[in-house]
Amino acid sequence: MNPILVVDDDPGFRKLLETILVGEGYPVETAAKVAEARRMCAAKPYSLVVSDLKLPDGDGLDVQKWFAEHAPKTPFVLITGFGTVSTAVDAMKRGALDYLEKPLRSPDELRRIVRRAMALNAGSESVLEEVEPAAGEPAGLCGAMVARDQHMLHILGLLQKVAPTPATVLLLGESGVGKEVIARCLHANSRRAAKPFVAVNCAALAPSLIESELFGHERGSFTGATDRHSGVFERADGGTLFLDEIGELDAALQAKLLRVLQERVFERVGGGKAVEVDVRVVAATNQDLSRAVQGGRFRADLYFRLSTFPIEIPPLRQRPADIDALAELFLGRAARRFEKPDLRLSDEARYALRAHAWPGNVRELENAMERAAILADATVMPEHLPFAGASTTLTQGAGPLNMRDLERRAIDEALQRHDGNRTHAARELGISLRTLQYRLKEYGLG
């Protein structure tokens, strides 16, 4: 195994990262300057480079540029201090794997990033490319899901614990929150990562075909069945099966699904031979299944079997700290596709994004950034957003909101979400504590 290179001029933080990585069994080498890092990298290959942004003879972006030119396949992670997240996002647009913030919130942040880097080196993430994401669903986030909100960071911690196990997982949340992205993340970080990931939307299948799609059918079992067909359970054998909109299954199919989950055995439509499979099931729904059980629309025994490990994903409007990071990610992806490498978000657009209710959640945000990338020349402004001028978003009372109104509202709501904690509110807003204190005085929000 090639060593990991840590580049940081702070000996204490450098030693902290080294201790964590060595404790995980990784060989580590360290450097304190850009020139030193370049000399070391010219002499040998590294599995991963973790570099501070601020260095005595340059910055981490210089290190990243060197690697992009001389060792482009080496994963790169940037370390940033408070208030420099936008720089880290720019680095990710240019190919950085991820970034860490000082102070390190948890050693698990570093461990997660390193595991993903090692998976990239081993080529294991290529398995995920075999399954196309659903239309509009964010892709490529497995192993590096964009999460800055405390609720989502907690969910990532849960995913880290449950992913290596065979436990059935039930994902709950509104449409568009990213349930399939999380299912893919579970698969990519499981012991089944080298096996298939198969996704099926139960609500999108015709009632007459859904049983065949799930369990397969034998030749001649019904009109048009000219050949034997393997269902998604067989195709996912050894891997992960993602059953989206599980609440749409009728009672008969619920009973058959329960049997498969309990015994790992089923019969194809029109067949009598038992077929055994080893499949990890991840189910998802935007319905309240507990209420559906009470109303007799969903089997209680199936509900309890599916909800071995339930995870509720909050809507985007309840995790505003993620909006900026996701918007940057999606805008950068669209900018590359449309050959507009210098495209950026204006502060006015950021405020408008935070003020929007996002009924379509992450999927709506991705579509909004793609539209903005098409319309904007160099800077995305509020008028480039699809909801610009909507009364439900950018107006308050009878009159339109100006930029001061939007900023005041964003600050007020951030403080409410963090129970008045100014440090946490400033972090969410992406501004310094001093700037926040100045704005509080200016707007009379003390």
Side-chain angles (χ1 to χ4, degrees), residues 26 75 113-126 188-189 193:
Y26 298 113
I113 291 173
V114 171
R115 278 197 295 270
R116 184 181 178 227
M118 297 308 168
L120 283 171
N121 286 330
S124 62
E125 285 202 349
S126 62
N189 290 279

Side-chain angles (χ1 to χ4, degrees), residues 14 17 51 76 78 144 149 161 168 184 197 269 369 371:
R14 191 169 64 232
L17 297 190
S51 175
F76 182 89
L78 190 69
D149 182 83
K161 291 180 181 297
T168 300
R184 290 173 182 275
F197 175 91
V269 176
M369 290 300 94
R371 179 183 188 274

Side-chain angles (χ1 to χ4, degrees), residues 166-406:
T168 300
V169 176
L170 178 62
L171 303 176
L172 304 168
E174 297 178 5
S175 295
V177 294
K179 295 189 285 291
E180 185 170 339
V181 174
I182 290 179
R184 290 173 182 275
C185 183
L186 277 168
H187 175 74
N189 290 279
S190 73
R191 296 186 175 93
R192 300 171 179 264
K195 296 294 184 179
F197 175 91
V198 180
V200 60
N201 188 327
C202 300
L205 297 173
S208 58
L209 296 177
I210 189 168
E211 183 176 2
S212 171
E213 183 60 28
L214 291 177
F215 307 117
H217 62 253
E218 297 289 351
R219 179 180 179 182
S221 56
F222 55 84
T223 303
T226 57
D227 295 292
R228 172 186 284 180
H229 170 70
S230 296
V232 293
F233 271 95
E234 285 184 83
R235 299 203 297 272
D237 191 22
T240 302
L241 176 60
F242 177 57
L243 296 175
D244 199 6
E245 303 302 344
I246 192 73
E248 299 296 329
L249 292 179
D250 63 25
L253 282 173
Q254 290 177 29
K256 293 184 178 181
L257 177 59
L258 177 64
R259 182 195 174 200
V260 179
L261 293 177
Q262 290 175 331
E263 303 174 14
R264 306 294 169 177
V265 172
F266 64 90
E267 290 89 32
R268 301 185 191 95
V269 176
K273 181 181 178 181
V275 179
E276 295 185 11
V277 289
D278 174 23
V279 174
R280 198 250 187 98
V281 171
V282 178
T285 182
N286 58 13
Q287 297 184 25
D288 184 342
L289 285 189
S290 60
R291 182 172 296 180
V293 169
Q294 295 173 4
R297 300 185 305 277
F298 202 84
R299 293 179 63 111
D301 46 6
L302 177 58
Y303 170 67
F304 291 123
R305 174 67 66 172
L306 289 171
S307 57
T308 302
F309 199 94
I311 298 177
E312 185 161 0
I313 307 159
L316 189 57
R317 62 183 174 275
Q318 292 180 11
R319 43 187 173 111
D322 288 346
I323 293 175
D324 267 9
L326 285 166
E328 291 276 8
L329 177 75
F330 295 144
L331 182 64
R333 185 180 299 159
R336 287 191 296 272
R337 188 162 65 252
F338 302 139
E339 300 181 352
K340 295 182 176 181
D342 298 325
L343 200 58
R344 68 178 188 86
L345 275 172
S346 67
D347 289 340
E348 294 88 348
R350 292 179 193 277
Y351 291 134
L353 290 172
R354 293 170 189 167
H356 187 52
W358 298 112
N361 291 296
V362 179
R363 184 180 296 124
E364 181 188 0
L365 176 57
E366 184 179 28
N367 292 339
M369 290 300 94
E370 182 164 337
R371 179 183 188 274
I374 293 172
L375 296 176
D377 294 324
T379 303
V380 174
M381 301 299 292
E383 58 264 28
H384 299 135
L385 302 174
F387 47 79
S391 59
T392 57
T393 328
L394 299 178
T395 61
Q396 185 178 44
L401 288 172
N402 56 33
M403 287 313 304
R404 288 175 57 84
D405 293 329
L406 287 170

Side-chain angles (χ1 to χ4, degrees), residues 59-130:
D59 60 35
L61 298 180
D62 296 328
V63 180
Q64 182 187 11
K65 182 179 178 181
W66 190 95
F67 267 88
E69 295 173 354
H70 297 88
K73 293 186 178 180
T74 304
F76 182 89
V77 173
L78 190 69
I79 304 170
T80 73
F82 177 74
T84 55
V85 175
S86 60
T87 304
V89 173
D90 289 340
M92 292 177 68
K93 288 181 182 179
R94 291 188 284 181
L97 176 70
D98 209 328
Y99 71 91
L100 287 169
E101 286 187 72
K102 284 184 177 180
L104 191 65
R105 286 189 290 258
S106 166
D108 289 339
E109 284 187 285
L110 180 61
R111 296 185 185 112
R112 173 183 59 81
I113 291 173
V114 171
R115 278 197 295 270
R116 184 181 178 227
M118 297 308 168
L120 283 171
N121 286 330
S124 62
E125 285 202 349
S126 62
V127 176
L128 298 176
E129 298 174 2
E130 295 178 5

